[in-house]
Amino acid sequence: MQSLGSCILRDIRIAPSHSFRGSRRCYSEVSLGSQAQTLEQWIASPPQHSNVDSLSSEHLADLYITLPTRDGTRKTYEAPQGGTPLPYGHHLAFFHARRAEDQLRADGTDEDISPPPPFSKRMWAGGKITWNNEVPLLIDRRTTARSSVAKAEKKGFDKGKPMVFVTQKIEYTQDLAQRTPSVVEERAHVYFDAQIFANRKKVFDREGKLLKDIPTTVDFSLRYIPTPVTLFRYSALMFNAHHIHLDKEYCQREEGYPERVVHGPLTAQMLLETTLFHFPGLKLSRF
């Protein structure tokens, strides 16, 4: 977002990166054997897939009533109208993976674009969205999302803390003849070795790393504290069964967090919503 200065949304907790304990494991190509070969093969030829959704106004209305910027508490509720442009960032509530429960991992996550085992513990790392305002996505229109892996990078293998950073590129179009997508999104996830992740140091006894260059003043803000109901509703809208957003006991016992974790997409969406709440009608090109 340009020309608006710094946009800071208060009351968002950023979970610090995990620290690990236990014996160091060498993740050289030699010691990994077949697992290393499998990972290298995946990186060389990663999966691709497509999802189709209708951007249903009924489903979108459920998202509106979940967001504090649109639920009628801060301004008059306005129902979504078919044929009008989809609000910025609202595509995040669509195009979910449709997988039977027995095809999900133990923590409720899917394996659509994921590296092979043992890298099965996933965490949202960041993202980027660009919009083509000349051909916006329209509500109640058949839309195709084509996903591919833009980048896969190994980190920490030489330190016994192996991670695989995967950047997924998703292009959204509504016309088969459309030359440029209406929306292009990049989602960055980090995947951990499940066994090492299980032995990591819990987070209760450590402080989050201080972020640098945070402005001391803000141009605008919106105070908002998500509740367990918020997280449940947003998970349901995204067809997201990841226990980290729903089960406090699981978060404390398995993940080492003191509370349920707010969705990365919800954080991104609320940053967009806060901006548009203060500047209605603003045209965004990049986030």
Side-chain angles (χ1 to χ4, degrees), residues 9-10 68-69 74 220-224 270 274 277-278:
L9 177 60
R10 299 178 185 272
T69 48
R74 288 174 167 81
F220 52 91
S221 64
L222 186 145
R223 184 175 179 83
Y224 168 56
M270 282 307 303
T274 297
F277 183 83
H278 288 279

Side-chain angles (χ1 to χ4, degrees), residues 214-228:
I214 296 180
T216 56
T217 60
V218 298
D219 299 302
F220 52 91
S221 64
L222 186 145
R223 184 175 179 83
Y224 168 56
I225 302 177
T227 68

Side-chain angles (χ1 to χ4, degrees), residues 31 68 94 96 102 115 122 129 131 136 160 166 170 172 175 196 200 202-203 211 216 224 229 231 253 257 264 276 285:
S31 63
F94 299 90
H96 50 259
D102 64 359
R122 183 182 73 187
I129 308 174
W131 293 272
V166 177
I170 312 172
Y172 301 88
D175 186 345
I196 295 181
R200 78 206 179 287
K202 302 301 182 181
V203 303
L211 299 178
T216 56
Y224 168 56
V229 172
L231 301 189
R253 184 185 68 247
Y257 294 116
L276 296 168
S285 61

Side-chain angles (χ1 to χ4, degrees), residues 39-67:
L39 177 59
E40 292 300 328
Q41 290 173 343
W42 185 91
I43 292 175
S45 182
Q48 300 182 23
H49 68 83
S50 296
N51 285 330
V52 175
D53 212 308
S54 64
L55 303 186
S56 160
S57 54
E58 289 82 7
H59 187 76
L60 192 59
D62 291 337
L63 176 60
Y64 278 19
I65 211 68
T66 301
L67 300 175

